[in-house]
Amino acid sequence: MYVCNCNGIREREVRAAIDAGARRPIDVFRAKGCQAQCAKCVCEMRQMIQERREALAYAAE
């Protein structure tokens, strides 16, 4: 599924960028060599980043 239609960034690519250290949507865009266009995807990326942080915090307990 596409997260960012403007840049053609798929969910698995966002997750890979997060796993590689992306902590903000801008980090995801940099990892893909692009930048936000309409920014509709930023909220979804933030949610994915937060979910990953929560999963890591839970795993560390």
Side-chain angles (χ1 to χ4, degrees):
M1 176 171 80
Y2 284 98
V3 173
C4 176
N5 290 321
C6 296
N7 291 301
I9 302 174
R10 297 176 183 264
E11 184 177 344
R12 67 176 179 250
E13 295 171 312
V14 174
R15 293 195 189 284
I18 293 168
D19 289 343
R23 297 292 171 247
R24 300 173 298 160
I26 194 166
D27 299 329
V28 175
F29 290 117
R30 285 183 183 148
K32 296 302 301 168
C34 58
Q35 54 185 305
Q37 302 296 315
C38 73
K40 288 182 181 178
C41 57
V42 170
C43 289
E44 187 172 352
M45 285 185 191
R46 284 184 182 144
Q47 181 65 36
M48 293 172 71
I49 291 166
Q50 183 62 33
E51 288 171 0
R52 182 66 176 147
R53 284 182 184 160
E54 290 172 2
L56 289 174
Y58 180 75
E61 291 180 357

